Amino acid sequence: MVGVGDCAPYRKDLASSFRHVVPLLRGADLTFGQLEAVLSLQGTPSSCTRMPCSSRPEVAPVMREAGFDVVSFASNHALDYGREAFCETLQHLREAGLAVTGAGENEESARRYPVLDVKGTKVAVLGYCSILPQGFWAQEQRPGCNPARGLTAYAAVEHDQPGTPCRIYTFPHPEDLQHMIEDIEQARREADVVIVSMHWGIHFKEAEIAEYQRYYAHFAIDHGADLVLGHRAHILKPIEIYKGRVIFYSLGNFAMEEVTDMLRDQATLHQDMATSKNHREMTAISDAFAVTKRSFPMDCYYTMIAKWTVEEGKISRVSCLPAYLPEDGAPYVVKREDPLFDEILSYMEKITEKEKLDTRYSVCGDEIVLAEGVTG
């Protein structure tokens, strides 16, 4: 089984976004992906939307044809073009035969997760989103994402010195955490393997994992999750092994276009997104934007494909395949003999050490092995 990060193809030939990875995606017994973009040509941007992200409805059948089985639409862009476009996207995904997690027409639907029968093994895939503009999370009668919101507290380092720096603490939203625990425990009763997908994290910032992410991930595993697949940060983040289970804090971008190629969204803003005030405010978070040769910092084009093996109803092995997103926007798996392999491996070792995690990465062929003999 395999999983990838953010997908938002836009180009004329949508299928070409996946042309290098179709054999891998189709060859897996289960393939997961995160859909970042709204699949609709209707609607106008929400007042809460900083930078809209959309594509055409045809993306749904293209992803199915490429080999995807289940997608999370728990995206911070899910309601960029309003509720009708959001619900239209869900309809396109379902009509294409894709199982959807993390989003729905109301809270009950958003919390509902697919349980797939994979060669006799029941696999539940739960989806959540932490990066939510106001009103983007589902409520009783409101469409939206399944929330795993974070709360932020700022405490002065020197409380008696006004204007001095603060420490930043983040925590899970209590109600969202309780819902997640309840859902995982229910899924544990229904499935052999429980996968939790999380759209979260500090974008573009090298290595850094927010505290609330660790809380959510650890609680998820404590209550029955076998694997956590993180995405949204648009950059690779460290991998943690907690109680024998693997946490991918960010798989990075996968089939993502350059910001300047999202033509409909640029037209909506009436200017090039790369030069908009919103974009400049966003890029201030990372000095790497000042020296990049492309839309994102150069390390945002490193990516990976999570891979896990299930035997007798339990995950027995977890690894990842280093991959790269070249200028044509079509990701490809980096082979061991390619210098990029060691480059991505060294990057992962660097950011893992930076976050003081003790994960060890072992190379086996074209894979980086994270855990073997994992108990599900």
Side-chain angles (χ1 to χ4, degrees):
M1 304 183 187
V2 298
V4 302
D6 295 6
C7 297
Y10 185 90
R11 66 197 56 209
K12 183 177 180 180
D13 180 8
L14 292 169
S16 69
S17 294
F18 303 104
R19 65 182 183 273
H20 301 306
V21 291
V22 165
L24 174 66
L25 302 183
R26 287 183 183 173
D29 295 309
L30 178 76
T31 297
F32 165 87
Q34 167 69 25
L35 176 64
E36 184 77 336
V38 179
L39 305 185
S40 174
L41 300 178
Q42 311 302 315
T44 56
S46 161
S47 60
C48 298
T49 298
R50 286 173 55 86
M51 297 186 65
C53 180
S54 68
S55 192
R56 305 194 301 280
E58 299 93 307
V59 168
V62 164
M63 289 185 71
R64 185 71 179 112
E65 180 64 21
F68 288 93
D69 301 296
V70 56
V71 297
S72 166
F73 188 45
S75 165
N76 53 300
H77 293 288
L79 280 122
D80 275 358
Y81 284 91
R83 297 180 183 182
E84 290 185 3
F86 170 86
C87 292
E88 180 189 340
T89 302
L90 292 176
Q91 180 181 350
H92 293 313
L93 293 171
R94 292 164 182 161
E95 288 178 349
L98 290 160
V100 181
T101 191
E105 291 80 0
N106 51 46
E107 181 183 312
E108 181 182 359
S109 175
R111 289 179 64 183
R112 193 177 302 134
Y113 49 84
V115 178
L116 300 95
D117 189 312
V118 185
K119 293 185 175 180
T121 297
K122 291 184 178 180
V123 181
V125 184
L126 288 70
Y128 300 88
C129 184
S130 300
I131 312 303
L132 290 166
Q134 190 65 36
F136 274 37
W137 59 92
Q139 290 185 338
E140 294 95 327
Q141 299 302 323
R142 185 178 76 186
C145 298
N146 193 16
R149 289 165 289 179
L151 303 177
T152 306
Y154 299 92
V157 175
E158 298 177 274
H159 68 276
D160 58 343
Q161 301 293 321
T164 55
C166 290
R167 292 190 180 95
I168 301 174
Y169 300 99
T170 59
F171 312 93
H173 187 289
E175 183 180 4
D176 294 352
L177 178 61
Q178 185 58 40
H179 284 170
M180 185 192 75
I181 289 171
E182 292 170 0
D183 294 343
I184 290 173
E185 290 180 342
Q186 178 63 33
R188 184 78 270 164
R189 293 188 286 269
E190 298 173 338
D192 303 300
V193 176
V194 177
I195 310 297
V196 173
S197 161
M198 302 291 290
H199 204 60
W200 60 3
I202 303 171
H203 58 182
F204 306 115
K205 199 76 171 174
E206 182 182 282
E208 190 169 347
I209 301 168
E211 286 181 310
Y212 80 89
Q213 295 179 261
R214 297 177 191 247
Y215 283 124
Y216 270 121
H218 292 185
F219 271 109
I221 289 171
D222 288 342
H223 289 271
D226 297 300
L227 180 69
V228 176
L229 301 176
H231 29 78
R232 184 270 162 181
H234 302 302
I235 191 171
L236 291 175
K237 297 281 187 173
I239 300 168
E240 181 181 11
I241 299 176
Y242 172 74
K243 294 186 176 179
R245 271 78 164 182
V246 177
I247 303 164
F248 290 91
Y249 279 105
S250 176
L251 293 168
N253 294 329
F254 196 61
M256 285 282 290
E257 306 291 2
E258 300 285 357
V259 171
T260 49
D261 291 336
M262 305 298 281
L263 301 181
R264 181 208 176 189
D265 303 314
Q266 288 188 64
T268 299
L269 291 176
H270 304 293
Q271 71 180 104
D272 184 341
M273 286 197 290
T275 61
S276 70
K277 179 182 177 182
N278 281 341
H279 190 268
R280 293 197 305 272
E281 289 174 341
M282 179 191 72
T283 59
I285 197 170
S286 172
D287 293 337
F289 273 102
V291 295
T292 186
K293 300 174 183 177
R294 296 170 63 179
S295 293
F296 296 133
M298 295 308 293
D299 54 359
C300 292
Y301 301 101
Y302 297 152
T303 184
M304 64 173 57
I305 299 170
K307 180 179 178 181
W308 60 100
T309 303
V310 175
E311 297 180 87
E312 298 180 357
K314 296 182 178 181
I315 293 179
S316 60
R317 184 177 190 268
V318 182
S319 63
C320 63
L321 300 168
Y324 189 71
L325 195 59
E327 290 191 12
D328 69 1
Y332 65 89
V333 174
V334 177
K335 300 298 184 182
R336 182 67 183 89
E337 61 270 17
D338 189 327
L340 262 176
F341 187 101
D342 285 334
E343 195 175 309
I344 296 171
L345 175 59
S346 296
Y347 182 84
M348 290 302 300
E349 291 173 335
K350 178 183 71 172
I351 63 175
T352 300
E353 182 179 358
K354 194 171 182 179
E355 281 297 282
K356 297 180 173 57
L357 295 172
D358 58 5
T359 308
R360 296 290 178 265
Y361 302 107
S362 303
V363 176
C364 181
D366 295 326
E367 298 181 25
I368 297 173
V369 180
L370 304 163
E372 292 191 271
V374 178
T375 58

